[in-house]
Amino acid sequence: MARQERAEQTRQRIVEAAASEFAGHGYDGTSLHGIVRTAGVTMGALTFHFRSKSALADAVQESGAAATRAALDATAAAPGFQGALETVLALAGALRTTPSVRAAARLTREGHGGWYDCWAPGLRDALERSWYEQRADSGLTPLAVTTLLSHVVLGAEAAASTPEALRPVTGDAPDENLAQALKALGTLLSRPADTETCGA
């Protein structure tokens, strides 16, 4: 195996270990020694690839954002409100299954990144387009719905991070329950605006 390929594999192992540590312990609760132990590398190997904990957190953010974009691209979401809800379900799935996504979300929440930037603007744009195309009149604005769905994603992050603690709230099938709730929300959001009838 070529030296460059080995170096890239080591770097990837460090990023994956750091994602697991940041997702579980946050930025302040994560130590470089813990990452070294989890990755099974030396401190010298870690510092060769990353000069600081901050640089490593940036790499985890990039990895999490890339994984998030890949999950959204794989969804092939429908247009309109249904697509926005499918986006939220895809985000919830990525948070549940991908440590780098959970880490990117947690680091952002703690003030060390911008994970929301890789999905929230697109969600809001899609909702605004749908709002005017479908002439929805649910009493909500696109910003209000984006805010609501962003809170749903934060809840999905919490459920993915501490599934046992939240089981009394989320039940034994949190993904299925979330899908049902979003389907009901979709019915509300896609209600067309009332139109006046002739002769009224």
Side-chain angles (χ1 to χ4, degrees), residues 14-103:
I14 292 168
V15 171
E16 289 170 2
S20 178
E21 293 291 312
F22 284 132
H25 307 291
Y27 186 85
D28 291 337
T30 295
S31 72
L32 294 180
H33 290 289
I35 294 168
V36 164
R37 194 170 39 254
T38 301
V41 300
T42 65
M43 185 61 76
L46 186 147
T47 56
F48 172 79
H49 290 284
F50 302 99
R51 292 178 182 253
S52 66
K53 182 176 167 180
S54 177
L56 186 50
D58 290 344
V60 168
Q61 279 282 353
E62 291 171 15
S63 177
T68 300
R69 286 189 294 271
L72 296 179
D73 290 345
T75 303
F81 298 122
Q82 186 59 41
L85 301 180
E86 289 170 12
T87 295
V88 170
L89 285 173
L91 289 167
L95 284 162
R96 185 175 40 79
T97 61
T98 312
S100 66
V101 175
R102 278 195 307 281

Side-chain angles (χ1 to χ4, degrees), residues 164-181:
E164 292 306 316
L166 290 176
R167 191 169 303 281
V169 176
T170 60
D172 289 328
D175 295 341
E176 183 179 323
N177 293 335
L178 178 59
Q180 289 176 355

Side-chain angles (χ1 to χ4, degrees), residues 144-176:
V145 176
T146 303
T147 301
L148 172 63
L149 294 179
S150 297
H151 281 83
V152 170
V153 173
L154 285 171
E157 178 198 348
S161 299
T162 55
E164 292 306 316
L166 290 176
R167 191 169 303 281
V169 176
T170 60
D172 289 328
D175 295 341
E176 183 179 323

Side-chain angles (χ1 to χ4, degrees), residues 131-148:
W131 216 262
Y132 300 114
E133 289 169 4
Q134 297 179 11
R135 298 185 63 232
D137 187 25
S138 61
L140 297 169
T141 65
L143 179 57
V145 176
T146 303
T147 301
L148 172 63

